[in-house]
Amino acid sequence: MTETPVVSLSFFRFARPTARLWALAMMGAARFALPKVPGIGFWKLCGSGTGEGFTPLPNTGVYAILASWPDEPTARQQTTQARIYNRYRARAVEDWTIYLETTSARGNWSGRMPFHATDKSPQGPLAALTRATVKPSVAVKFWKRVPDISRMIGSDRNVAFKIGIGEVPLLHQITFSIWPNAAAMAGFARTNGPHAAAIQAVREGNWFSEELYARFAILGESGSWGGKSPLDALDLTE
C-alpha cells in the first residue's frame, strides 16, 4: 500500500518576553535546523498577525511551522520528537499541531507546488489554506480590505479555527481555516460581501505575484490551543 504524503501545521504560543525574543530570532536560526529533520520535505517558518492573525500588525506571541512529510507516522514522530520542534515546545506555554492530507491544490509557493493532492472530495470537516505574495505597489490597498473580511470570518459560526500567518510581514499572507464541510466554506467564500469584493479586486488588479490554494482532509492533531482542541466542535468520525 502506497503511503499518502502528509502536511503538518504546528502553532506555538509564547508568553514571556524572553521567549518571544527567542522565537523571533528562530525565524532565522531555525532555517538551519529544519532541513536536517529526517523525512521533512517542504517547510516554512511563519509569524502571525494580531487578533486572529488577519492584520498587518505582528503578534510576537504566536509562531508556526508548516512542513510536508512522506506519511503520517513520520509526520507525527518528527513533530513530537525532533529536537527543533521540542526546542520550540520547551519555551512555549502552549502548542498545537494539526495533521492534514491534501485533497486539492493549485498555484505555487516559492516557485513550486509543495503539496501532493489526492484529488479526493472530503465529505466531512476540512481545512483550507490560501497563500499569496502581495505586490508591494498594492500592499496598502490589500490590507485595507482585510479588516472587513476578518470581522466576517470571526463572526461565522461555521469556522472552527482561523488564523492569519506569513513568512514576511505585509507581503506574504497565509490564511488557514477549518470548516465543518465544503458547503459551509464555499458559502463564506462566494457569498460573503467583503470577501467576494476582495477576490474581485485581486483578480481585476492583479495584486498577487504568486498564489496558492489548497484544501485538506483532517487526519488528527496533538496538543491544544486556547486550552482545548479546535477540533472539538467537528465530527471527525466520517
Side-chain angles (χ1 to χ4, degrees), residues 1-20:
M1 182 177 178
T2 302
E3 294 285 356
T4 301
V6 167
V7 174
S8 66
L9 185 52
S10 302
F11 298 97
F12 301 90
R13 192 191 310 278
F14 301 91
R16 293 180 293 109
T18 53
R20 294 186 176 204

Side-chain angles (χ1 to χ4, degrees), residues 82-133:
R83 184 171 181 268
I84 184 64
Y85 279 88
N86 282 330
R87 288 183 67 190
Y88 273 81
R89 200 167 283 117
R91 291 168 174 80
V93 295
E94 188 174 38
D95 68 279
W96 180 62
T97 296
I98 186 167
Y99 302 98
L100 307 162
E101 177 185 298
T102 309
T103 57
S104 65
R106 59 184 175 88
N108 287 293
W109 192 336
S110 298
R112 67 187 179 104
M113 167 51 71
F115 307 131
H116 300 277
T118 63
D119 295 324
K120 298 177 182 177
S121 297
Q123 300 303 308
L126 75 157
L129 181 148
T130 67
R131 187 267 179 187
T133 299

Side-chain angles (χ1 to χ4, degrees), residues 51-165:
E52 291 171 337
F54 301 99
T55 72
L57 299 176
N59 178 357
T60 61
V62 174
Y63 291 83
I65 302 175
L66 180 144
S68 64
W69 310 91
D71 50 59
E72 186 176 353
T74 302
R76 288 183 176 274
Q77 178 180 359
Q78 297 302 345
T79 55
T80 56
Q81 298 181 19
R83 184 171 181 268
I84 184 64
Y85 279 88
N86 282 330
R87 288 183 67 190
Y88 273 81
R89 200 167 283 117
R91 291 168 174 80
V93 295
E94 188 174 38
D95 68 279
W96 180 62
T97 296
I98 186 167
Y99 302 98
L100 307 162
E101 177 185 298
T102 309
T103 57
S104 65
R106 59 184 175 88
N108 287 293
W109 192 336
S110 298
R112 67 187 179 104
M113 167 51 71
F115 307 131
H116 300 277
T118 63
D119 295 324
K120 298 177 182 177
S121 297
Q123 300 303 308
L126 75 157
L129 181 148
T130 67
R131 187 267 179 187
T133 299
V134 183
K135 292 180 178 179
S137 60
V138 296
V140 174
K141 292 181 181 178
F142 172 80
W143 285 105
K144 283 183 177 179
R145 297 272 186 176
V146 170
D148 286 341
I149 299 172
S150 178
R151 282 192 290 271
M152 292 302 295
I153 196 171
S155 63
D156 193 318
R157 295 181 179 180
N158 286 316
V159 188
F161 179 80
K162 61 273 185 184
I163 192 169
I165 55 178

